[in-house]
Amino acid sequence: MQRIIYIVQKEFKQIFRNRMMKPMLFIMPFVQLAVLSYTADFTVKDIRIYVQDQDMSPLSAKLTSKIKASDNFTLKDVSYTYDEGFNKIQDNEIDVILSIPEHFSRNLNANRKTELFITADAINSTKAGISINYLQNIIHDFQIEEAQSKGLIEIKPGINTIKRDWYNPGLDYKFFMVPGILVLLVTMLALFLSGMNIVREKEVGTIEQLNVTPIRKYQFIIGKLLPFLIIGVFEFTVGLAVALLWFKVPFLGSVGVIYMFTIVYLILVLGIGMFISTITDTQQQALFLAWFFSVIFILMSGLFTPIESMPQWAQDLTLLNPIRYYVEVIRLVMLKGSSFASIKVNFLVITLSAIIINMLAIRNYKKTA
Amino acid sequence: MIKVENVIKNYGSVEALKGVSFEVEKGQLYGLIGPDGSGKTSLFRILTSLLIPTGGKASVKGFDTVKDYKSIRKIVGYMPEHFSLYMDLTVEENLQFFATVFNTTVEENYHLIEDIYKMLEPFKDRRAGALSGGMKQKLALSCALIHKPDVLLLDEPTTGVDPVSRKEFWDMLRKLKDTGLTTLVSTPFMDDAELCDEVALIQNGNILTIDTPANVAAKYPHKLWKVETENNYKTLKALDNFEEKISAFSFGHSVHLATNDNVPEKAIREHLLKSNIKVDKIEPIKASIEDVFMELMR
């Protein structure tokens, strides 16, 4: 026991004597949290639109001004020709063209079918899809208003949907993203710190001296793991405080449940790092492996893209992804106030994985040359 | 205390040790002398249980290095070839760390390292990485001694250390020997060998000879001359066709020439003068371990 305590002390000394370590621990995570939380925004604003108006009627002008009034669109130009607008797409000056054909107004007033034509720059397909969607909503609203005001059609009694978004009533993307980014931050920190650690002793050669001591493998691994666990929990706490106080993310669930899960999760991620450290010989190799896993884990975590929209095989693969479970839990507990009972499965999966990976790391750490 | 029996170590198709046997008695300061790549480090790693031999067996204080590796690690003090303490910990912290790892304290065994550590004490708050080569050596020795080992294994402790520190280091080893400590030390320096109780000369994974340094030197079978001239290279070249020559090697500023027993000094001098070489001095000398080594390697 005394040995473990001393290894922990030694690790802390080494961590805080490393010139880059303090900024890495105390500044980088917050920069990450601050920057990513503001930038990982899936709402599309300031869509630059060009209206090709061949109708030149009061009605088409009314539609144009309705678009102009919308929060999402910035009206860049209105003109008669399509080519001018298309050139502007080419030059990346606008994102969307709405073409209003001749006789738009006449057809509409005569209650005949008329067509509008939308052209979108789909280099960024997500943005194009969302832009078209917004535009269609505006046109739909416009159509109903016009019809109503002219009394051309009466509102048909029928299905009238009323929408209510539970747990995030304002659909604030930050409530959704900030907890996720917190997960990302804690994961990266733990994975890289532990992944680089044992392999560093190998690279510097200190492991040879250490291996010829009666120190036990489990003492060594625990001694290495504990300092990072403490740092990880600390980082999580500060990150959580920033999320609650600065981003005003609601916290409906139990603090105890979140911390219990975080600690087990950290032990798992640190174990993965330790394992990487035991199978590599240089920090460079370890870094590559750690990156490989973290990129896959992050992109397949449901943090940026919903897991439900992945192909089935990928959805199955995410079952092996620890970040997936943690993202789920942190969102459920913070935003939905879920109790331990509803995250039981996630907790079990993470606990089991943590035990297995750490046993593997201990087994794999060889006290021989 | 240390027993090595026909130890073989292969790395793939490379044979690092080809059946090495020797024995170190309790309290001996035993030297393993050989050039780089002769298998010294492999042998140390086997003795410290870091490597498993391909064949043969080795034991320290009766503990088998493979079966009883746990016991070995308690009784052995090891100084690897490369400095392997924590560069970012201070002198004192390194010492404390290794004491704790061995379940002991610096205070408990301070008497063992007192002489050495005294020299380090002024720098005890300095990080190990900022120490000079000689100081690092002393710290590494202190760390290897702090748990009161029965056997000290030092792998090339004086490589890369200045001559003064090297001498100091050997003085320390002699003092430790007086306390009854058994020490196995490897070195590529022949003059280190003369300070050991017994030496084993090792080359290409084979032991060439084992004896006391004096006996090893006495084993030299030829007459040996020290030849001082204006130029070693020219001298060696001229000696190539000297009929009485057995071997000739450059030794610093002179050439060591081995000849048959009945060759007079005059014969050598005349041969060199024939090649227009100005001779400063030719004198018969006693062979050193290095001469024996060169002879055995021939």
Side-chain angles (χ1 to χ4, degrees), chain B residues 259-271:
Chain B
T259 63
N260 297 318
D261 277 349
N262 52 0
V263 178
E265 189 207 318
K266 228 175 79 181
I268 305 168
R269 192 178 289 271
E270 275 167 9
H271 181 83

Side-chain angles (χ1 to χ4, degrees), chain B residues 278-292:
Chain B
K278 197 171 141 259
V279 177
D280 294 332
K281 201 184 199 178
I282 297 180
E283 58 177 356
I285 52 162
K286 265 183 144 175
S288 67
I289 289 184
E290 193 160 0
D291 295 305
V292 177

